Amino acid sequence: MKRVWMTACAALALNACAQTPPVKSASAATPAKGDAKPTFDRDPYPSTYRAYPGVPTLVTNVTIYDGEGGRIDNGSVLFADGKVVEVGQTIAAPAGATVIDGRGKWVTPGVIDIHSHLGDYPSPSVQALSDGNEATGPVRAEVWAEHSVWPQDPGFSRALANGGVTTLQILPGSANLFGGRGVTLKNVYARTAQGMKFPGAPYSLKMACGENPKRVYGSKGQLPQTRMGNMALDRQTWIDASEYKRKWDAYEKKVQDGTAKPADQPGRNLRNETLMGVLNGEITVQNHCYRADEMAQVIDMSKEFGYKVTAFHHAIEAYKIADLLKANGICAAVWADWYGFKMEGYDAVNENLPLLQKAGACAMIHSDDPNGIQRLNQEVAKTLADGRRMGIVIPDEVAWEWLSINPARAMGIADRTGSLKPGKMADVVLWNGNPLSVYTRPEKVWIDGALMYDAMDPRRRPVSDFELGQPGEGDVK
């Protein structure tokens, strides 16, 4: 990637692409009144992301899927200054704009993968780079996936060039009941993980039910060994977190009132800070769970402790409780046809996603895999066809919601990306044919209006520093 984007930086004398100094988020604490110390910073590792430079661009004569179920035939998309300006059939090109005739091609929003481990389980897949599971205890809410992300993972560039992926959520693995915080990244080259962090995106908490935690810790002769052990430890953890939140709420009320003293400040606990963020509604819950009965139990547990499950991931049996998911406003992030690799993955159906859509539930595709992330468009095509074979006819443009706006909603970023709407980030893919065809590939990919990949220009085939000079450098086959 370096050669591509360093070239873009050179065009603006390099400093235009330099990372900006950290800016404290709105969640950072303010100093207390009187002699009390300030409460702790909720955003100690802020995003330093800065969009690469782009030029005003008009793509014409294309079929457009806007990401929210809309379709425009023979349409045009105009973007400038990093934002979508206009989408329609007849758009005049501004002076100096780059105009691309996309006749016979498609334009969509960039693909968003809500469940990835790129950077934490990078390529090459060796033990020295295996940093996604802190499997030293079943409750590890204190760890943050971003602190393992290796920005030079070649998987990022493959996801961009082969899959049109512009945004992705990196989650810890599923060995633990509480795996830690996830982070949302823009799929750009940067020297640091903070340079990739999606500005203002909420953190997530990765949780897991079922076989993985009880297998990992049951094999060590400790809690949990069973599903009832999973639930018991989950509940006790939330009880402890609720007490921690009570103490901090009381202290911060004193801070606001100006009556707090240094001795009043509770001790900090990284684990409970993440869980308190969930209880405060600031951190989303992304829950690995396969079986319908376990998802239902988790929903009850969330009501017991007053938090919300944002999405169940993998959710192979989600089709059995689609009505329950809809009623509780919970999304399901699923595969097209992964099946049978363990017992809780046995009762899968290829029509899971179409059945969820038919029931009115929020559903999406996800990868969980460095190869699958390169062809999520094909995964959607497979499950779409399976649904049609059983009589669930979903238009292609509606199915694109599974790749764009639905994951954006579940990641808390739908107001900024996930669809081609004026004012949103210009995260755009020009496909060289129908994007639901196995023969189609991204031709151009823009992120925040900057051209990050061009299949027709070898200089814009991204290569990370790690790959330079190695066999297969920049290969996008």
Side-chain angles (χ1 to χ4, degrees), residues 300-357:
D300 286 343
M301 180 171 62
S302 71
K303 294 176 180 178
E304 180 183 7
F305 293 102
Y307 71 90
K308 177 175 175 53
V309 178
T310 306
F312 286 115
H313 291 233
H314 312 334
I316 274 178
E317 294 186 12
Y319 66 95
K320 298 182 181 181
I321 55 166
D323 58 336
L324 188 59
L325 297 177
K326 178 184 178 182
N328 286 277
I330 299 173
C331 296
V334 306
W335 295 296
D337 53 9
W338 284 28
Y339 149 82
F341 46 92
K342 53 183 174 178
M343 193 65 209
E344 65 186 3
Y346 184 78
D347 206 5
V349 298
N350 291 357
E351 300 83 6
N352 194 10
L353 222 170
L355 286 166
L356 289 165
Q357 181 81 20

Side-chain angles (χ1 to χ4, degrees), residues 20 71 83 185 198 259-260 279 297 322 345 420 439 448 477:
T20 56
R71 171 178 179 146
K83 305 292 185 184
L185 304 180
F198 192 113
T259 61
L279 295 173
Q297 288 179 337
L420 299 177
Y439 299 108
D448 284 312
K477 292 193 290 295

Side-chain angles (χ1 to χ4, degrees), residues 361-414:
C362 167
M364 68 205 76
I365 203 78
H366 71 336
S367 75
D368 192 32
D369 180 76
N371 291 309
I373 196 173
Q374 299 178 42
R375 45 194 66 87
L376 285 171
N377 58 315
Q378 295 179 27
E379 294 298 294
V380 163
K382 287 192 294 184
T383 191
L384 189 63
D386 287 323
R388 288 171 179 172
R389 278 191 284 271
M390 70 172 296
I392 303 175
V393 180
I394 299 168
D396 292 357
E397 58 270 22
V398 172
W400 203 264
E401 295 176 353
W402 305 340
L403 291 152
S404 55
I405 196 63
N406 284 357
R409 287 169 177 152
M411 292 158 63
I413 55 175

Side-chain angles (χ1 to χ4, degrees), residues 73 130 136 151 160 190 193 225 272 296 300 311:
D73 293 312
S130 178
T136 53
L160 178 81
Q225 287 188 324
N272 283 326
D300 286 343

